[in-house]
Amino acid sequence: MNPWQRLTQHLHWPQQPPVGTNKSLTALKRFVSLFLVGITLSVAVASCGQGTSNNPAATPSGASPAANKGNVELTLVSFAVTKAAHEAIIPKFVEQWQKEKGQTVTFNQSYGGSGSQTRAVIDGLEADIVHLALALDTAKIEKAGLIEPGWEKEVPNEGIVSKSVGAIVTREGNPKNIKTWEDLSQDGVKLITADPKTSGVARWNFLALWGSVVKTGGDETKALDFTTKVYKNVPILTKDAREATDVFFKQGQGDALINYENEIILAGQKGEKPTYTIPEVNVSIDNPIAIVDKNVDKHGTREVAEAFVKFLYSPEAQREFAKAGFRPVDATVAAEPEFVQKYTPIKTLFTAQDLGGWADIQKKFFDDGAVFDKIQGSIKQ
């Protein structure tokens, strides 16, 4: 929401002002602009006062700092499957910030496929914070000039705030006896997964399949043959992980579903009874968090945005991620008995960096005309 919208939303005119001429409209806009500048200056000066309400110089006209605190509005843009976790975490942060700062924080939240969310932010969705499925998407926003370089160094764990692994879900009783990535290439198996062109989850799914070959002694020719066989078994590519889950569970399509482990755990918490396996060769699905520098500076929300990002790394928030199915990035939380029991150990766990890093991965596999497009082209022939 821009400053004009924020102001006019809260202004209550005694009567409709006369704006029948360009002159009167210009006068009104000048008045509002000056009013906004006054508010901005008041808040800035009040911040420098550091709570010394008995110091008239701390705020204009001797107003107390408390009178200038106001409320804060943040826009969080995230990938689809984080919704449950954030909806549990946000109220805890709002309560903490209210106690510490006396401000009420409200959140605008947007969830969708990571690739789609990235494009929306670049195209003008004024996110203060982005929590995306892969660092490649955050890098795209950086390249667009909205995030300052080095964002991953400003927070713990190279900016990775949540993580998961790939899971294979099957029908009750597993009638097709699907237990490994290799089983997904069998004739007669129908697989549901998302589209790597629109979904960060789907890129991870692809890497899990490819890596299951090259990280166990196979070469790239074998990996290409294997992944092509798997995608021939995909009747529909959904736009994101949440839709893939709905197609499998609600619409009853497919013999198997590849998805985040956390999404499958969440489905179980919502009453589904998924039968699934966590392959012992797997990819670490690492999800970064970043502040959108250009937008927080425009909105004046940097302080609260940084505090929220910091809060996401706290044990309290990491437990909520873990309850929602994400593997904790906090080692102490991961070691708690509840979560040790909940998450299957992975025998061979590889990362995006092990496959060359996201810049090389995107160019090699997901750019127009790259490996995935070639696979799709061969399937359609």
Side-chain angles (χ1 to χ4, degrees):
M1 185 180 294
N2 61 39
W4 172 271
Q5 290 170 321
R6 289 195 180 98
L7 178 61
T8 55
Q9 182 178 0
H10 298 291
L11 281 177
H12 299 282
W13 300 99
Q15 60 183 20
Q16 183 68 23
V19 292
T21 65
N22 291 336
K23 183 177 180 180
S24 59
L25 178 60
T26 301
L28 174 61
K29 287 185 176 180
R30 286 176 177 170
F31 165 77
V32 173
S33 298
L34 290 171
F35 188 76
L36 282 168
V37 170
I39 290 175
T40 303
L41 289 173
S42 297
V43 173
V45 175
S47 299
C48 296
Q50 298 181 356
T52 54
S53 58
N54 61 343
N55 179 5
T59 57
S61 304
S64 68
N68 290 281
K69 283 182 178 180
N71 297 330
V72 183
E73 185 178 280
L74 284 181
T75 297
L76 169 67
V77 173
S78 192
F79 62 110
V81 298
T82 62
K83 184 177 181 181
H86 281 302
E87 287 184 342
I89 293 168
I90 284 171
K92 295 178 181 293
F93 173 76
V94 169
E95 180 181 5
Q96 175 179 295
W97 190 258
Q98 176 67 45
K99 288 179 180 179
E100 292 180 356
K101 301 291 184 177
Q103 287 181 314
T104 298
V105 183
T106 58
F107 280 78
N108 299 314
Q109 300 170 62
S110 173
Y111 300 95
S114 189
S116 300
Q117 294 290 73
T118 298
R119 286 191 296 273
V121 172
I122 292 171
D123 290 343
L125 176 57
E126 292 191 2
D128 296 292
I129 301 163
V130 288
H131 183 190
L132 299 171
L134 61 164
L136 173 69
D137 287 340
T138 313
K140 289 178 181 178
I141 299 174
E142 176 188 334
K143 187 175 181 180
L146 300 175
I147 296 176
E148 293 296 327
W151 56 270
E152 69 277 12
K153 304 296 183 183
E154 296 177 0
V155 290
N157 202 39
E158 294 291 308
I160 305 303
V161 75
S162 61
K163 64 180 181 179
S164 192
V165 294
I168 303 173
V169 190
T170 59
R171 296 299 174 190
E172 186 176 357
N174 193 10
K176 295 292 181 74
N177 196 31
I178 300 166
K179 297 179 180 179
T180 67
W181 298 121
E182 187 176 2
D183 293 335
L184 297 174
S185 65
Q186 296 174 4
D187 292 340
V189 170
K190 296 299 181 184
L191 172 67
I192 303 299
T193 184
D195 186 346
K197 291 290 189 177
T198 59
S199 169
V201 172
R203 288 187 176 94
W204 288 114
N205 292 350
F206 182 95
L207 294 184
L209 294 167
W210 187 274
S212 71
V213 176
V214 299
K215 291 300 174 183
T216 56
D219 60 19
E220 294 202 343
T221 300
K222 185 177 179 180
L224 178 61
D225 179 64
F226 169 66
T227 51
T228 300
K229 288 179 179 178
V230 171
Y231 280 95
K232 281 182 178 178
N233 287 341
V234 178
I236 178 174
L237 288 169
T238 65
K239 67 180 180 180
D240 59 39
R242 177 55 48 79
E243 185 179 340
T245 302
D246 288 345
V247 166
F248 185 78
F249 285 114
K250 295 182 179 179
Q251 298 179 23
Q253 297 189 45
D255 303 303
L257 166 74
I258 309 179
N259 216 326
Y260 281 165
E261 176 189 43
N262 66 276
E263 180 73 350
I264 308 310
I265 291 174
L266 183 61
Q269 292 172 351
K270 290 184 175 181
E272 302 286 351
K273 297 180 179 180
T275 300
Y276 70 99
T277 184
I278 305 298
E280 62 180 12
V281 178
N282 221 312
V283 62
S284 181
I285 299 171
D286 299 331
N287 319 129
I289 192 88
I291 289 171
V292 186
D293 295 288
K294 186 173 182 179
N295 291 340
V296 296
D297 289 340
K298 176 181 178 180
H299 301 156
T301 54
R302 179 175 291 278
E303 180 186 13
V304 67
E306 289 178 346
F308 178 67
V309 169
K310 182 179 179 181
F311 183 77
L312 293 179
Y313 287 94
S314 70
E316 185 176 12
Q318 283 295 305
R319 287 189 189 97
E320 294 301 331
F321 276 120
K323 290 175 184 177
F326 290 93
R327 296 188 174 218
V329 299
D330 184 312
T332 59
V333 175
E336 293 177 6
E338 174 186 357
F339 304 126
V340 170
Q341 184 178 3
K342 188 172 186 176
Y343 295 107
T344 304
I346 305 299
K347 181 179 178 181
T348 302
L349 186 67
F350 57 91
T351 67
Q353 284 301 121
D354 294 331
L355 295 177
W358 275 111
D360 288 345
I361 288 170
Q362 175 65 26
K363 182 178 180 179
K364 180 176 181 177
F365 296 113
F366 306 122
D367 275 354
D368 290 343
V371 170
F372 184 75
D373 280 352
K374 290 177 181 177
I375 289 173
Q376 290 298 95
S378 69
I379 291 172
K380 294 175 181 178
Q381 290 177 356

